[in-house]
Amino acid sequence: GHDVAVHDTIGCEGGTSCTVGLQGSVAEMKQAGVDVLFPTLNVLSLPGYVAEMVTQGFEPGDVQFYNSAFNAHSSEVVSSKVKAFGGEAAGALYDGAVVVDFAPTNNQFVADWTTPAFTELCNETYAAHGGERYDYFDPDGATKLGMLTVVCSEVRIMARAIYDAGANPTHETIRTAIAQLGPVDGNNSLPMSLGPGKYAAADVTQTSTWTSPCRIEGAAYDENDTCFVSDDNWETVAS
């Protein structure tokens, strides 16, 4: 029910850093009085776009940014680059960006949080076979533990699907088996399931707010002092 004031495609000329039409796009937004922006640019392109917004006079609070897991914008390794590559002013402009996703980034700083049992199981199993044991309260370790648990979950799902597909499984029988798994274990023990016509495992979502500087003591992703703050407002989106 909302009218889109400006819709632009930023060209890439076959590369990964996209800047073609950038200045004109920002100028058009400025002229149209845009105050909400859904940027879908990649990790190398968003910082430059936000920096150009600063150059053309956008100030903190002028625009509310929204993003999702598309292009991994819900991850701190990607979001942090707005400040790392775009500069201090770009970080200040992007501060307060809201991301809608099931990623529970920095949920460990929510009151009464404990490491989920499945995450701990994957952590222990990896360490028992010679891997490092990671700590969720260490920003660097939290990223690695999250990836470890994702891979752990995916390996278990594939192993179960191959087993359920029976002797001499084919690509099609494995696909069918995956679609019939139902509830599965996943990162942070969030409600997840696989079923026919379902293209993502997560059954819930929440919003998180990107902050620069980081608003959680001890949670800064790197020396640029940025982080996500979990809004802890989970909603069921599928079952």
Side-chain angles (χ1 to χ4, degrees):
H2 295 282
D3 293 325
V4 178
V6 177
H7 177 275
D8 284 325
T9 299
I10 308 302
C12 307
E13 295 186 326
T16 55
S17 181
C18 309
T19 59
V20 180
L22 184 155
Q23 293 178 334
S25 174
V26 173
E28 189 178 4
M29 284 205 307
K30 187 73 173 175
Q31 184 176 6
V34 166
D35 57 6
V36 173
L37 176 61
F38 296 84
T40 54
L41 297 167
N42 65 27
V43 61
L44 298 178
S45 306
L46 180 60
Y49 196 95
V50 178
E52 179 62 26
M53 291 176 66
V54 172
T55 299
Q56 295 198 28
F58 282 95
E59 297 182 356
D62 285 351
V63 174
Q64 175 62 60
F65 294 87
Y66 287 94
N67 254 316
S68 69
F70 182 72
N71 275 325
H73 283 295
S74 58
S75 72
E76 298 206 301
V77 67
V78 170
S79 59
S80 64
K81 300 305 182 286
V82 171
K83 183 176 181 180
F85 296 163
E88 189 81 29
L93 184 60
Y94 196 63
D95 177 47
V98 173
V99 171
V100 182
D101 188 32
F102 63 87
T105 307
N106 288 329
N107 248 50
Q108 64 268 36
F109 292 98
V110 175
D112 301 323
W113 186 92
T114 57
T115 302
F118 181 68
T119 300
E120 191 58 33
L121 169 67
C122 294
N123 205 9
E124 289 179 355
T125 303
Y126 184 62
H129 289 79
E132 186 177 347
R133 184 178 179 82
Y134 300 116
D135 180 4
Y136 248 138
F137 288 94
D138 167 48
D140 183 56
T143 300
K144 294 174 180 176
L145 181 53
M147 179 55 68
L148 166 64
T149 311
V150 167
V151 174
C152 175
S153 172
E154 291 176 348
V155 170
R156 284 164 52 94
I157 288 171
M158 288 308 304
R160 183 68 208 188
I162 292 171
Y163 178 86
D164 288 353
N168 299 316
T170 65
H171 182 261
E172 187 57 37
T173 59
I174 292 173
R175 284 174 58 89
T176 300
I178 290 175
Q180 296 174 347
L181 284 179
V184 295
D185 291 311
N187 194 16
N188 281 279
S189 298
L190 297 175
M192 294 184 177
S193 62
L194 295 171
K198 195 166 185 284
Y199 298 102
D203 294 331
V204 294
T205 190
Q206 70 160 352
T207 62
S208 293
T209 303
W210 188 79
T211 61
S212 176
C214 178
R215 295 177 195 165
I216 304 175
E217 183 178 355
Y221 175 71
D222 58 18
E223 68 277 4
N224 290 290
D225 191 23
T226 66
C227 70
F228 276 111
V229 177
S230 168
D231 296 328
D232 199 31
N233 55 355
W234 295 99
E235 293 185 14
T236 300
V237 293
S239 60

